[in-house]
């Protein structure tokens, strides 16, 4: 009989007992039992299947900014997207970007292409996924002003959600529910 660590390790780079101090910008918190770095959507789906099969608690994070973690250990799996989910491409005035990409780097890439709208994000030390999750913003602008669609893992499958389906409001989205 394999352990959950062995199952996760067959699918993605997996670490045990990693301190949240190493994973968050505030540098506080206890240890996460497992930290997993899926390389692509197939690996993410496999990780989620293991989590569901074992009824294991989990959290998904990017750079760990805006996270205040308690000193107690977290008995669960932390899925990190900032290592491999970092692809992006521009097509005209539109960009498609994965959740683990830095929002600051994305703002810089847009600027290089003469595109505006992400200037407010230049000082937010987060990933695109985190900024969508919390509808981050500054200077009277926010992510909801820019998002047309979001590609999500939902109910065991990948699908597109329109910006209106995301239920954005001040520093909030459907993803927090």
């Amino acid at each position: 009989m394999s352990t959950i660590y062995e199952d996760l390790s067959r699918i993605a780079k997996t670490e045990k007992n990693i301190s949240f101090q190493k994973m968050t910008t505030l540098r506080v918190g206890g240890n996460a039992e497992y930290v997993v770095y899926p390389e692509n959507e197939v690996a993410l789906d496999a990780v989620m299947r293991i989590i569901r099969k074992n009824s294991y608690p989990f959290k998904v994070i990017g750079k760990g900014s805006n996270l205040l973690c308690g000193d107690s250990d977290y008995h669960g799996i932390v899925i990190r997207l900032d290592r491999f989910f970092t692809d992006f491409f521009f097509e005209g005035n539109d960009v498609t970007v994965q959740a683990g990409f830095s929002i600051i780097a994305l703002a810089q890439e847009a600027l290089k292409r003469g595109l505006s709208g992400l200037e407010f994000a230049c000082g937010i030390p987060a990933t695109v996924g985190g900024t969508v999750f919390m509808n981050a913003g500054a200077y009277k602008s926010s992510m909801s002003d820019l998002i047309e669609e979001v590609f999500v893992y939902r109910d065991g499958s990948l699908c597109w959600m329109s910006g209106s389906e995301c239920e954005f409001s001040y520093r909030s989205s459907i993803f927090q529910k």
Side-chain angles (χ1 to χ4, degrees), residues 95 97 101-104 106-107 117-122 124 126-138 140-150 163 166 168-169 171-173:
V95 63
V97 59
F101 194 66
S102 163
I103 193 67
I104 294 171
L106 183 62
L118 272 174
E119 297 86 357
F120 73 89
C122 286
I124 301 173
T127 59
V128 170
T131 60
V132 172
F133 177 84
M134 70 167 295
N135 190 22
K140 298 183 182 179
S141 295
S142 64
M143 293 303 290
S144 62
D145 299 329
L146 305 172
I147 293 173
E148 289 182 22
E149 294 180 298
V150 180
C166 296
F168 289 118
S169 61
R171 304 300 172 256
S172 181
S173 73

Side-chain angles (χ1 to χ4, degrees), residues 25-88:
T25 56
L26 295 176
R27 304 286 182 227
V28 297
N31 292 336
E33 186 174 10
Y34 303 110
V35 178
V36 179
Y37 301 89
E39 291 188 32
N40 53 45
E41 289 83 359
V42 174
L44 176 61
D45 180 60
V47 167
M48 293 306 296
R49 289 172 189 264
I50 290 170
I51 288 169
R52 279 195 310 272
K53 176 183 162 193
N54 293 283
S55 300
Y56 229 76
F58 72 96
K59 305 278 184 202
V60 180
I61 69 171
K63 293 187 176 301
S65 62
N66 208 31
L67 293 180
L68 179 59
C69 302
D71 291 333
S72 300
D73 289 346
Y74 175 64
H75 176 70
I77 298 167
V78 173
I79 301 170
R80 301 251 350 233
L81 300 179
D82 64 328
R83 189 174 287 180
F84 296 111
F85 281 74
T86 57
D87 288 336
F88 68 94

